[in-house]
Amino acid sequence: MKIGIIGAGNIGGNLTRRLTALGHEVSVANSRGPHTLTALAEETGATPVTVAEAARGAEIVVVTVPFKNVPDLPAGLFDGAAEGFTVIDTGNYYPQRRDGRIAGVEDEGLTESRWTERHLGHPVIKAFNGTYAQDILDRHRPAGAPDRMALPVAGDDAAGKEAVRALIDQLGFDTVDAGGIDDSWRQQPDTPVYGLREGVEGVTKALAEASPQRPEGFRG
Ligand SMILES: NC(=O)c1ccc[n+]([C@@H]2O[C@H](COP(=O)([O-])OP(=O)(O)OC[C@H]3O[C@@H](n4cnc5c(N)ncnc54)[C@H](OP(=O)(O)O)[C@@H]3O)[C@@H](O)[C@H]2O)c1
């Protein structure tokens, strides 16, 4: 499958590593340009591209940049993507540590992914946001393994969500349907499921136990 990855840091880099290892055709972009991605390209076989080129022909586009940088992404980001393409959003809002105060989340009460999707102008599927980047490399397991982790996946587009769940299964993780984007507060930072290394049962229970109130440490 053709996959575009926008952001080549902890998460984007490790998704590039695993998705190329699975045989996917990956294009990867960062803010500084393809010439800074030579080492990752040599290691993985991914194609380094500009942000504007990243989505070309892609069936899945992963947006994995710091939350505060989402509005900097250029208009026309998804021009040339494959018909019916799906966008994965891995983002988290860290107002105190990284992102500053963002009114759409704080005052309008938007979930983080609803805010992101409004900036991107395309529906998103929220996945990997509570997964340690290193776990993408180290904790994948074959289907049915007793210690296979599950990841929550939220989104309003049923077909897109199925496509993402199938990809995550290939990557070596189970998934739990965490509802739509308005429900996705259940997997935001500091919720019980955030960073949880458990299977389907534990993840389902943790999602049910989440509180809609934004935790003090994650308010701007
Ligand atoms: N780290 C984790 O374990 C983890 C886990 C789950 C979710 N997340 C979330 O996933 C998102 C990415 O996290 P990360 O840790 O992978 O970030 P990171 O290591 O800081 O990497 C960020 C990447 O985004 C790129 N970038 C920044 N602004 C950009 C722009 N305007 N256009 C194109 N690329 C841009 C950076 O490119 P340059 O280096 O060229 O500037 C860099 O490649 C964040 O929202 C984070 O909270 C992180």
Side-chain angles (χ1 to χ4, degrees):
M1 187 189 285
K2 272 193 120 174
I3 299 174
I5 302 185
I6 299 169
N10 299 302
I11 290 280
N14 284 351
L15 282 177
T16 300
R17 291 181 176 93
R18 284 286 297 142
L19 289 167
T20 49
L22 290 168
H24 293 290
E25 204 181 315
V26 175
S27 292
V28 60
N30 64 4
S31 78
R32 287 164 294 153
H35 63 286
T36 66
L37 291 169
T38 316
L40 182 64
E42 279 173 5
E43 177 194 339
T44 63
T47 306
V49 293
T50 64
V51 174
E53 293 165 334
R56 278 194 202 153
E59 290 161 68
I60 292 192
V61 182
V62 185
V63 176
T64 184
V65 304
F67 196 72
K68 67 172 165 40
N69 297 115
V70 169
D72 303 337
L73 294 171
L77 187 65
F78 303 126
D79 288 357
E83 205 182 318
F85 70 101
T86 299
V87 177
I88 297 178
D89 164 33
T90 77
N92 296 303
Y93 173 45
Y94 276 79
Q96 299 173 17
R97 203 188 301 176
R98 183 189 62 200
D99 298 318
R101 188 178 194 283
I102 291 186
V105 176
E106 303 281 352
D107 303 333
E108 284 183 63
L110 299 176
T111 59
E112 296 168 15
S113 284
R114 185 68 76 200
W115 180 86
T116 293
E117 132 179 318
R118 286 196 182 172
H119 280 284
L120 295 178
H122 193 276
V124 301
I125 305 295
K126 188 178 191 73
F128 301 109
N129 74 292
T131 311
Y132 294 103
Q134 194 61 32
D135 285 1
I136 292 170
L137 295 185
D138 295 345
R139 293 192 178 237
H140 55 90
R141 300 285 184 273
D147 61 343
R148 201 184 208 218
M149 283 170 53
L151 312 187
V153 179
D156 299 327
D157 169 17
K161 196 193 283 187
E162 276 318 303
V164 172
R165 294 181 73 177
L167 189 70
I168 293 174
D169 182 47
Q170 274 185 37
L171 282 164
F173 301 91
D174 288 332
T175 56
V176 173
D177 187 338
I181 291 300
D182 286 339
D183 307 311
S184 64
W185 51 266
R186 290 184 184 277
Q187 68 189 72
Q188 288 180 173
D190 214 18
T191 56
V193 83
Y194 194 70
L196 189 72
R197 289 167 165 152
E198 289 194 20
V200 169
E201 202 178 315
V203 166
T204 305
K205 184 166 173 280
L207 286 166
E209 286 170 356
S211 158
Q213 203 169 16
R214 177 163 282 282
E216 194 54 49
F218 288 87
R219 291 198 198 136

